[in-house]
Amino acid sequence: MSTTETSRETTEVNRAVARRFYEEVVSQGRLEVLDEIVAEDGTDAAGPALGGGGRAGFVQHITWLRQAVEGVTATVTDTVAENDRVVVYWTIEGVQRGEVFGAPPSGRRFVGQSISTIRFRDGQIIEYEVLPDRLGIVRQLVG
């Protein structure tokens, strides 16, 4: 197998793992999948803010999200991938039950757009950052 074929295969594996993160972990709440797809030393940019780093930070982030947003669904709309990086464009929707971006619980349904950057090592997530449309989401929650 050539280096180009290996690189292409690695990129596609990473893209598939990124999709699993949103479909299985965020939308379905299958936290056990994190043991398979996140490296033990992986970092979630939101994890430290919630009090944890490593894989535990991912668990805290997803647990918080699923408690704050009832029926949360994350839908991947597009990906751009090369080597160890995948950029994911995705939509989040659900009903707000807890504080989200400083907005108190409203019981309102919202839909928001987000862009995430994910880095991989050996088919596992090692860095995760997300840039949500905070203003667009908050406007729906307090409007």
Side-chain angles (χ1 to χ4, degrees), residues 25-76:
V25 179
V26 177
S27 294
Q28 297 173 19
R30 296 184 52 213
L31 297 178
E32 71 277 6
V33 172
L34 292 171
D35 291 336
E36 181 184 341
I37 67 172
V38 174
E40 184 61 43
D41 62 343
T43 58
D44 177 345
L50 296 169
R55 198 177 285 149
F58 283 83
V59 170
Q60 289 174 318
H61 184 178
I62 300 304
T63 299
W64 163 81
L65 178 63
R66 291 186 57 79
Q67 290 172 348
V69 183
E70 179 183 319
V72 66
T73 302
T75 304
V76 174

Coordinates of all heavy atoms in Angstrom, one line a residue, residues 25-76:
V25 N -22.4 9.2 20.6 CA -22.2 9.7 21.9 C -23.1 10.9 22.2 O -23.9 10.9 23.2 CB -20.7 10.1 22.0 CG1 -20.4 10.8 23.4 CG2 -19.8 9.0 21.8
V26 N -23.1 11.9 21.3 CA -23.9 13.1 21.6 C -25.4 12.8 21.5 O -26.2 13.0 22.4 CB -23.5 14.3 20.7 CG1 -24.5 15.5 21.0 CG2 -22.1 14.7 20.9
S27 N -25.8 12.3 20.4 CA -27.3 12.0 20.1 C -27.8 10.9 20.9 O -29.0 11.0 21.4 CB -27.5 11.8 18.6 OG -27.2 13.0 17.9
Q28 N -27.1 9.8 21.0 CA -27.6 8.6 21.7 C -27.2 8.5 23.1 O -27.7 7.6 23.9 CB -27.2 7.3 20.9 CG -27.7 7.2 19.5 CD -27.2 6.1 18.7 OE1 -26.6 5.1 19.3 NE2 -27.2 6.1 17.4
G29 N -26.2 9.3 23.5 CA -25.8 9.2 24.9 C -25.0 8.0 25.3 O -24.9 7.6 26.5
R30 N -24.4 7.3 24.3 CA -23.6 6.1 24.6 C -22.2 6.5 25.0 O -21.3 6.4 24.3 CB -23.6 5.3 23.3 CG -25.0 4.8 23.0 CD -25.0 3.8 21.8 NE -24.1 2.7 22.0 CZ -23.4 2.1 21.0 NH1 -23.6 2.5 19.8 NH2 -22.5 1.2 21.3
L31 N -22.1 6.9 26.3 CA -20.8 7.3 26.8 C -19.7 6.2 26.8 O -18.5 6.6 26.7 CB -21.0 7.8 28.3 CG -21.9 9.0 28.4 CD1 -22.0 9.4 29.9 CD2 -21.3 10.2 27.6
E32 N -20.1 5.0 26.8 CA -19.1 3.9 26.7 C -18.3 3.9 25.4 O -17.2 3.4 25.4 CB -19.8 2.5 26.9 CG -20.7 2.0 25.8 CD -22.1 2.6 25.7 OE1 -22.4 3.4 26.6 OE2 -22.9 2.1 24.9
V33 N -18.9 4.5 24.4 CA -18.2 4.6 23.1 C -16.9 5.5 23.2 O -16.0 5.3 22.5 CB -19.1 5.1 22.0 CG1 -18.4 5.4 20.7 CG2 -20.3 4.1 21.8
L34 N -17.0 6.4 24.2 CA -15.8 7.3 24.4 C -14.5 6.5 24.7 O -13.4 6.8 24.3 CB -16.1 8.3 25.5 CG -17.1 9.3 25.2 CD1 -17.4 10.1 26.4 CD2 -16.7 10.2 24.1
D35 N -14.7 5.3 25.4 CA -13.5 4.5 25.7 C -12.8 4.0 24.4 O -11.6 3.7 24.4 CB -14.0 3.3 26.6 CG -14.4 3.7 28.0 OD1 -13.9 4.7 28.4 OD2 -15.1 2.9 28.6
E36 N -13.6 3.8 23.4 CA -13.1 3.3 22.1 C -12.6 4.4 21.2 O -11.5 4.3 20.6 CB -14.2 2.6 21.4 CG -13.8 2.0 20.1 CD -15.0 1.3 19.4 OE1 -16.0 1.0 20.0 OE2 -14.8 1.1 18.1
I37 N -13.2 5.6 21.2 CA -12.9 6.6 20.2 C -12.1 7.8 20.7 O -11.7 8.6 19.9 CB -14.1 7.1 19.5 CG1 -15.1 7.9 20.4 CG2 -14.9 5.9 18.8 CD1 -16.2 8.6 19.7
V38 N -11.9 7.9 22.0 CA -11.2 9.0 22.6 C -9.9 8.5 23.3 O -10.1 7.6 24.2 CB -12.0 9.8 23.6 CG1 -11.2 10.9 24.3 CG2 -13.2 10.5 22.9
A39 N -8.8 9.0 23.0 CA -7.5 8.6 23.7 C -7.6 9.0 25.2 O -8.3 10.0 25.5 CB -6.3 9.3 23.0
E40 N -7.0 8.2 26.0 CA -7.0 8.4 27.4 C -6.5 9.9 27.8 O -7.0 10.5 28.7 CB -6.2 7.4 28.2 CG -6.2 7.6 29.7 CD -7.6 7.4 30.3 OE1 -8.3 6.5 29.9 OE2 -7.9 8.2 31.2
D41 N -5.6 10.4 27.0 CA -5.0 11.7 27.2 C -5.7 12.7 26.3 O -5.2 13.9 26.2 CB -3.5 11.7 27.0 CG -3.1 11.3 25.6 OD1 -3.9 10.8 24.9 OD2 -1.9 11.6 25.3
G42 N -6.8 12.4 25.7 CA -7.5 13.3 24.8 C -8.0 14.5 25.6 O -8.2 14.5 26.8
T43 N -8.1 15.7 24.9 CA -8.5 16.9 25.5 C -9.8 17.5 24.8 O -9.8 17.5 23.6 CB -7.4 18.0 25.6 OG1 -7.0 18.3 24.2 CG2 -6.3 17.6 26.4
D44 N -10.8 17.8 25.6 CA -12.0 18.4 25.2 C -11.9 19.9 25.7 O -11.8 20.1 26.9 CB -13.2 17.7 25.7 CG -14.5 18.4 25.4 OD1 -14.5 19.5 24.9 OD2 -15.6 17.7 25.6
A45 N -11.9 20.9 24.8 CA -11.7 22.2 25.2 C -12.7 22.6 26.3 O -12.4 23.5 27.1 CB -11.8 23.2 24.0
A46 N -13.9 22.0 26.3 CA -14.9 22.4 27.3 C -14.7 21.6 28.6 O -15.2 21.9 29.7 CB -16.3 22.1 26.8
G47 N -13.9 20.5 28.6 CA -13.7 19.6 29.7 C -13.2 20.3 31.0 O -13.8 20.2 32.0
P48 N -12.1 21.1 30.8 CA -11.5 21.8 32.0 C -12.5 22.8 32.6 O -12.6 22.9 33.8 CB -10.3 22.5 31.4 CG -9.9 21.7 30.3 CD -11.2 21.2 29.7
A49 N -13.3 23.4 31.8 CA -14.3 24.4 32.3 C -15.4 23.7 33.2 O -16.0 24.2 34.1 CB -15.0 25.1 31.2
L50 N -15.6 22.4 32.9 CA -16.5 21.6 33.6 C -15.9 20.8 34.8 O -16.5 20.1 35.5 CB -17.3 20.6 32.7 CG -18.1 21.3 31.6 CD1 -18.6 20.2 30.6 CD2 -19.3 22.0 32.2
G51 N -14.6 21.0 34.9 CA -13.9 20.4 36.1 C -13.1 19.1 35.8 O -12.5 18.5 36.7
G52 N -12.9 18.8 34.5 CA -12.2 17.5 34.2 C -11.4 17.6 32.9 O -11.8 18.3 32.0
G53 N -10.3 16.9 32.9 CA -9.5 16.8 31.7 C -9.5 15.3 31.2 O -10.2 14.5 31.8
G54 N -8.8 15.0 30.1 CA -8.7 13.7 29.6 C -10.1 13.1 29.2 O -11.0 13.9 28.9
R55 N -10.2 11.8 29.1 CA -11.5 11.2 28.7 C -12.6 11.6 29.6 O -13.8 11.8 29.2 CB -11.3 9.7 28.7 CG -12.4 9.0 27.9 CD -12.1 7.5 27.8 NE -11.1 7.2 26.9 CZ -10.2 6.2 27.0 NH1 -10.4 5.3 28.1 NH2 -9.3 5.9 26.2
A56 N -12.3 11.8 30.9 CA -13.3 12.2 31.9 C -13.9 13.6 31.5 O -15.1 13.8 31.8 CB -12.7 12.3 33.3
G57 N -13.1 14.5 30.9 CA -13.6 15.8 30.5 C -14.7 15.6 29.4 O -15.7 16.3 29.4
F58 N -14.5 14.6 28.5 CA -15.5 14.4 27.5 C -16.8 13.9 28.1 O -17.9 14.3 27.8 CB -15.0 13.3 26.5 CG -14.0 13.8 25.5 CD1 -12.6 14.0 25.8 CD2 -14.4 14.2 24.2 CE1 -11.7 14.4 24.9 CE2 -13.5 14.7 23.3 CZ -12.2 14.8 23.6
V59 N -16.7 13.0 29.1 CA -17.8 12.4 29.8 C -18.6 13.6 30.5 O -19.8 13.7 30.4 CB -17.4 11.4 30.8 CG1 -18.6 11.0 31.7 CG2 -16.9 10.1 30.1
Q60 N -17.9 14.5 31.2 CA -18.5 15.6 31.8 C -19.2 16.5 30.8 O -20.4 17.0 31.1 CB -17.5 16.4 32.7 CG -17.1 15.6 33.9 CD -16.0 16.3 34.6 OE1 -15.1 16.8 34.1 NE2 -16.1 16.3 36.0
H61 N -18.6 16.8 29.7 CA -19.2 17.7 28.7 C -20.5 17.1 28.1 O -21.5 17.7 28.1 CB -18.1 17.9 27.6 CG -18.6 18.8 26.5 ND1 -17.8 19.2 25.5 CD2 -19.7 19.5 26.3 CE1 -18.4 20.0 24.7 NE2 -19.6 20.3 25.2
I62 N -20.4 15.8 27.8 CA -21.6 15.2 27.2 C -22.7 15.0 28.2 O -23.9 15.2 27.9 CB -21.2 13.8 26.5 CG1 -20.2 14.0 25.4 CG2 -22.5 13.1 26.0 CD1 -20.6 15.0 24.3
T63 N -22.3 14.7 29.4 CA -23.3 14.5 30.5 C -24.0 15.9 30.7 O -25.3 15.9 30.8 CB -22.7 14.0 31.8 OG1 -22.1 12.7 31.5 CG2 -23.7 13.9 32.9
W64 N -23.3 16.9 30.8 CA -23.9 18.3 31.0 C -24.8 18.6 29.8 O -25.9 19.0 30.0 CB -22.8 19.3 31.1 CG -23.4 20.7 30.9 CD1 -24.0 21.4 31.8 CD2 -23.4 21.4 29.6 NE1 -24.5 22.6 31.2 CE2 -24.1 22.6 29.8 CE3 -22.9 21.1 28.3 CZ2 -24.4 23.5 28.8 CZ3 -23.2 22.1 27.3 CH2 -23.9 23.2 27.6
L65 N -24.3 18.4 28.6 CA -25.1 18.7 27.4 C -26.4 17.9 27.4 O -27.5 18.5 27.2 CB -24.3 18.4 26.2 CG -25.0 18.7 24.8 CD1 -25.4 20.1 24.7 CD2 -24.2 18.2 23.7
R66 N -26.4 16.7 27.7 CA -27.6 15.8 27.6 C -28.6 16.2 28.8 O -29.8 16.0 28.7 CB -27.2 14.4 27.6 CG -26.5 14.0 26.3 CD -26.3 12.6 26.1 NE -27.5 11.8 26.2 CZ -28.4 11.6 25.2 NH1 -28.3 12.2 24.1 NH2 -29.5 10.9 25.4
Q67 N -28.1 16.7 29.9 CA -28.9 17.2 31.0 C -29.5 18.6 30.7 O -30.7 18.8 31.0 CB -28.2 17.2 32.3 CG -27.8 15.8 32.8 CD -26.9 15.9 34.0 OE1 -26.3 16.9 34.4 NE2 -26.8 14.7 34.7
A68 N -28.7 19.4 30.0 CA -29.2 20.8 29.7 C -30.1 20.8 28.5 O -30.9 21.8 28.4 CB -28.0 21.7 29.5
V69 N -30.0 19.9 27.6 CA -30.8 19.9 26.4 C -31.5 18.6 26.2 O -30.9 17.6 25.9 CB -29.9 20.2 25.2 CG1 -30.7 20.3 23.9 CG2 -29.1 21.4 25.4
E70 N -32.8 18.6 26.5 CA -33.6 17.4 26.4 C -33.8 17.0 25.0 O -34.0 17.8 24.1 CB -35.0 17.7 27.0 CG -36.0 16.5 26.9 CD -37.3 16.9 27.4 OE1 -37.4 17.6 28.5 OE2 -38.3 16.5 26.8
G71 N -33.6 15.7 24.7 CA -33.7 15.2 23.3 C -32.7 15.7 22.4 O -32.9 15.8 21.2
V72 N -31.5 16.0 22.9 CA -30.5 16.6 22.1 C -30.1 15.7 20.9 O -30.0 14.5 21.1 CB -29.2 16.9 22.9 CG1 -28.5 15.7 23.4 CG2 -28.2 17.7 22.1
T73 N -30.0 16.3 19.8 CA -29.7 15.6 18.5 C -28.6 16.4 17.8 O -28.7 17.6 17.7 CB -30.9 15.5 17.6 OG1 -31.9 14.8 18.3 CG2 -30.5 14.7 16.3
A74 N -27.5 15.7 17.5 CA -26.4 16.3 16.7 C -26.4 15.7 15.4 O -26.3 14.5 15.3 CB -25.1 16.1 17.5
T75 N -26.5 16.5 14.3 CA -26.5 16.0 13.0 C -25.3 16.6 12.2 O -25.2 17.8 12.1 CB -27.8 16.4 12.3 OG1 -28.9 16.0 13.0 CG2 -27.9 15.8 10.9
V76 N -24.5 15.7 11.7 CA -23.3 16.1 10.9 C -23.8 16.5 9.6 O -24.5 15.7 8.9 CB -22.3 15.0 10.8 CG1 -21.1 15.4 9.9 CG2 -21.7 14.7 12.2

